[in-house]
Amino acid sequence: MSEMNTSSLENSKAIKLSYNDYGKGQPVILIHGWPLSQKMWEYQVESLVHSGYRVITYDRRGFGESSKPWENYDYDSLAEDLKDLIETLKLKDSILVGFSMGGGEVARYIGNYGTASVSKAVLVSAVTPFMMDTENNKGVDSSVFEGMKEGISKDRPQFFKDFGKNFYNYETFKGERISEAMLEFTWNLAMQGSRKATLDCVDSFGKTDFREDCKKFEVPTLIVHGDADQIVPVEVSAERAKGLISGAQLKVIKEAPHGLVVTHHSEFNSILLNFLKAE
């Protein structure tokens, strides 16, 4: 595990990101979901490295082994962290892969900084383009996000015990596509995040509008989603993102849950690699 300083400071000290950098070839940056860490990419790193890619994973600020500042969990700050990573590692021709909340980083990075360092983008079970229900966006009622914050505030460990089951549609796939041990592993990753970051990020992924960011995607883009996602409904996310991102490909995995990178990892890895290798 390596560590880098971002350009952000808190109390005069640099906010640090923990990252791993494996393999050689075209760089693929894997951006994890909430409330997990880079370790969620259990089934993807090895597959990508063996397929000839350089794979970079990192812990979002507030999660995993990265710094846990008190403030600035908005997407502008998170996208700046991604920019700092790309610049520190001097990456070019990068492929950005964002899962769930991580899809927002991909969108805001492109929205704020363009695609000069990016060759392709992948949104997986992503919160893009805009989750919250508003006058001009039919989405998820804001009370859902407030309820999540209330549950986290009351009993964070129990909240994520329950959340994990919906994350993987556990009752449907237990013993077949996901074990109880993997469910516990996911819970442990969630518990590594700071309480403050975990709470603040609910507003970030739930209430940030990425519609204008999506219109700035000027690179080949793949969108992957499960049609049984109980966390980020496909109809308010992937289907709408496809309409905003010029030329985007949408691959819907039948009966797959939110955490399809685990339960349907073989199917997902095949879709991902086919897209990465395509000219």
Side-chain angles (χ1 to χ4, degrees):
M1 194 82 73
S2 300
E3 191 175 71
M4 57 157 279
N5 290 339
T6 69
S7 57
S8 299
L9 301 175
E10 182 167 87
N11 294 334
S12 301
K13 294 182 179 179
I15 293 170
K16 299 178 182 292
L17 296 184
S18 177
Y19 71 94
N20 280 310
D21 187 352
Y22 300 118
K24 297 179 180 179
Q26 186 175 12
V28 179
I29 304 174
L30 301 177
I31 307 169
H32 69 82
W34 173 93
L36 308 177
S37 76
Q38 61 183 302
K39 292 180 180 179
M40 65 154 279
W41 299 105
E42 180 89 0
Y43 293 102
Q44 282 70 51
V45 173
E46 184 177 1
S47 175
L48 288 166
V49 171
H50 285 173
S51 297
Y53 293 94
R54 177 183 176 185
V55 181
I56 297 102
T57 62
Y58 71 97
D59 291 335
R60 177 182 293 109
R61 60 167 66 196
F63 298 87
E65 297 182 31
S66 289
S67 295
K68 297 175 172 60
W70 188 252
E71 296 180 319
N72 298 323
Y73 291 99
D74 59 282
Y75 270 103
D76 286 339
S77 297
L78 301 179
E80 186 176 30
D81 287 348
L82 175 56
K83 179 179 74 74
D84 289 339
L85 176 76
I86 290 171
E87 292 179 350
T88 297
L89 298 181
K90 298 179 172 60
L91 302 178
K92 297 180 180 179
D93 199 29
S94 301
I95 300 165
L96 302 182
V97 182
F99 172 82
S100 191
M101 181 176 181
E105 266 116 321
V106 174
R108 185 51 51 88
Y109 175 86
I110 291 174
N112 285 358
Y113 304 109
T115 57
S117 299
V118 179
S119 63
K120 292 183 178 181
V122 184
L123 303 173
V124 188
S125 303
V127 298
T128 46
F130 189 19
M131 286 280 287
M132 191 170 69
D133 189 70
T134 64
E135 288 184 359
N136 65 4
N137 185 69
K138 187 172 176 57
V140 178
D141 192 87
S142 61
S143 63
V144 173
F145 305 118
E146 296 307 314
M148 291 174 71
K149 291 192 293 183
E150 182 179 344
I152 294 165
S153 297
K154 180 180 179 181
D155 189 337
R156 186 165 66 106
Q158 185 60 54
F159 176 85
F160 285 117
K161 284 282 188 182
D162 299 332
F163 183 82
K165 293 179 180 179
N166 292 329
F167 193 91
Y168 293 120
N169 294 7
Y170 182 70
E171 293 304 318
T172 300
F173 293 118
K174 63 182 178 181
E176 177 188 356
R177 287 184 175 269
I178 184 164
S179 64
E180 184 178 355
M182 181 59 78
L183 194 66
E184 292 174 354
F185 173 68
T186 302
W187 179 85
N188 279 311
L189 296 185
M191 289 299 97
Q192 291 174 20
S194 81
R195 172 186 169 96
K196 182 65 161 51
T198 302
L199 284 165
D200 285 3
C201 283
V202 175
D203 283 337
S204 295
F205 69 71
K207 301 178 181 180
T208 302
D209 186 348
F210 300 104
R211 288 177 291 187
E212 292 303 314
D213 300 298
C214 286
K215 295 174 184 177
K216 297 179 181 178
F217 279 51
E218 297 176 345
V219 293
T221 301
L222 171 67
I223 302 168
V224 185
H225 220 97
D227 66 4
D229 191 325
Q230 297 184 44
I231 306 299
V232 180
V234 65
E235 63 272 11
V236 303
S237 54
E239 292 177 1
R240 293 181 185 169
K242 183 181 187 301
L244 291 171
I245 299 173
S246 178
Q249 301 177 37
L250 172 58
K251 300 289 185 181
V252 177
I253 301 179
K254 190 175 182 180
E255 299 180 353
H258 190 63
L260 57 82
V261 297
V262 172
T263 59
H264 292 68
H265 61 268
S266 295
E267 297 95 318
F268 170 70
N269 288 359
S270 177
I271 292 169
L272 178 62
L273 285 169
N274 286 338
F275 174 72
L276 298 192
K277 293 175 180 178
E279 295 295 333

